């Protein structure tokens, strides 16, 4: 499977959001990563439903929505209706994991499950039959521009082994500190999708930045 690149809008120029999405699509990105933060699950506040609705109207790429919020079940159906193609939430959130996965899928989106760096990957395993994408966080969620935590690589390997044995079409995404030096580590461990914020939007040539992340 070809490695997919999902630039994270967190590092883009929010004053020109539509233009930024069109630019990464032209530059060869595969997905648009949208970081939703509620100021409660994580200290930061970013964007919400109205922005996802507007992005859906103009984005040539699927929307990969990463919910860093305390109550994903409350909002799952609305994010699906707003046009999210993938909706990923944290297993440490306050809502029931199985019910949230079901709400996302019932809403017509693909369901993703993720975890903080301090959470053991084994906690995800019972839910994987109902999961379309696993997101392994390689930074503490909340902010762009942090350093890649190489000690998270074994988590990618554990999920990769499970995927190869049980569910080859499930996607493994890696988010946080991805750049030209760390992308090969994540890919070697088994990643299918790489999220990159500062490594794409921090550069003037998006096409070159995206190409550098591919194997
Ligand atoms: C962090 C977000 C990431 C972030 C990645 O909480 O989930 O998607 O934008 O940014 P970089 O690639 O700069 O680490
Ligand atoms: Zn993210």
């Amino acid at each position: 499977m070809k490695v997919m690149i999902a630039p994270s809008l967190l590092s883009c120029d929010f004053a020109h959001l539509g233009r930024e999405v069109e630019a990464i699509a032209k530059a060869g990105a595969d997905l648009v990563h949208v970081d939703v933060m509620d100021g409660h699950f994580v200290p930061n506040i970013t964007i919400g439903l109205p922005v996802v609705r507007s992005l859906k109207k103009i984005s040539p790429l699927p929307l990969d929505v990463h919910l860093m919020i305390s109550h994903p079940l409350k909002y799952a159906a609305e994010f699906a209706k707003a046009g999210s193609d993938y909706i990923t939430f944290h297993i440490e959130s306050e809502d029931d994991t199985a019910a949230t996965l079901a709400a996302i899928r019932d809403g017509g989106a693909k369901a993703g499950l993720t975890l903080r760096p301090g959470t053991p990957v084994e906690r995800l395993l019972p839910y994987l039959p109902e999961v379309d994408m696993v997101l392994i966080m390689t930074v503490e969620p909340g902010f762009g521009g942090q350093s890649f935590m190489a000690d998270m690589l074994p988590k990618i390997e554990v999920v990769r082994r499970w995927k190869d044995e049980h569910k080859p079409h499930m996607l493994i995404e890696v988010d946080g500190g991805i750049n030209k030096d760390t992308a090969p580590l994540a890919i070697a461990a088994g990643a299918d999708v790489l999220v990159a914020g500062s490594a794409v939007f921090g550069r003037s040539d998006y096409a070159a930045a995206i190409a550098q992340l591919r194997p």
Side-chain angles (χ1 to χ4, degrees):
M1 198 191 302
K2 170 188 158 225
V3 172
M4 293 191 276
I5 307 295
S8 163
L9 295 180
L10 195 55
S11 297
C12 85
D13 178 357
F14 280 101
H16 300 107
L17 198 51
R19 249 190 262 164
E20 294 279 60
V21 170
E22 282 155 14
I24 55 164
K26 251 176 88 182
D30 301 285
L31 299 167
V32 184
H33 188 80
V34 183
D35 287 304
V36 175
M37 306 188 191
D38 64 355
H40 186 257
F41 184 78
V42 290
N44 204 0
I45 300 178
T46 54
I47 60 184
L49 282 161
V51 178
V52 173
R53 267 181 223 118
S54 295
L55 284 174
K56 188 64 187 175
K57 289 189 202 143
I58 61 100
S59 179
L61 301 174
L63 301 182
D64 171 34
V65 175
H66 176 191
L67 299 180
M68 285 158 274
I69 66 177
S70 295
H71 291 289
L73 180 55
K74 186 172 171 193
Y75 297 99
E78 282 184 275
F79 273 99
K81 207 169 141 205
S84 314
D85 293 275
Y86 289 86
I87 301 174
T88 298
F89 67 99
H90 278 261
I91 196 160
E92 307 87 356
S93 73
E94 289 172 36
D95 291 340
D96 183 76
T97 302
T100 307
L101 290 168
I104 294 170
R105 289 178 139 194
D106 290 349
K110 298 221 187 277
L113 189 58
T114 186
L115 75 180
R116 290 180 181 279
T119 302
V121 71
E122 287 70 27
R123 272 192 63 190
L124 301 184
L125 301 180
Y127 300 101
L128 296 190
E130 309 305 324
V131 165
D132 302 294
M133 180 195 274
V134 172
L135 168 57
I136 303 293
M137 290 302 299
T138 42
V139 297
E140 199 57 59
F143 298 93
Q146 305 178 74
S147 299
F148 183 83
M149 298 168 72
D151 50 341
M152 296 298 117
L153 290 168
K155 289 185 177 179
I156 304 172
E157 291 164 0
V158 167
V159 177
R160 183 64 195 216
R161 276 196 293 275
W162 190 93
K163 165 188 154 117
D164 288 344
E165 201 173 319
H166 299 101
K167 202 174 178 182
H169 58 278
M170 186 180 80
L171 293 176
I172 301 176
E173 181 175 59
V174 177
D175 183 6
I178 292 289
N179 57 36
K180 69 172 178 17
D181 300 319
T182 57
L185 305 176
I187 293 166
D192 303 300
V193 186
L194 301 179
V195 176
S198 40
V200 172
F201 289 108
R203 304 267 307 271
S204 51
D205 185 341
Y206 295 168
I210 289 169
Q212 273 203 328
L213 302 175
R214 296 196 192 278

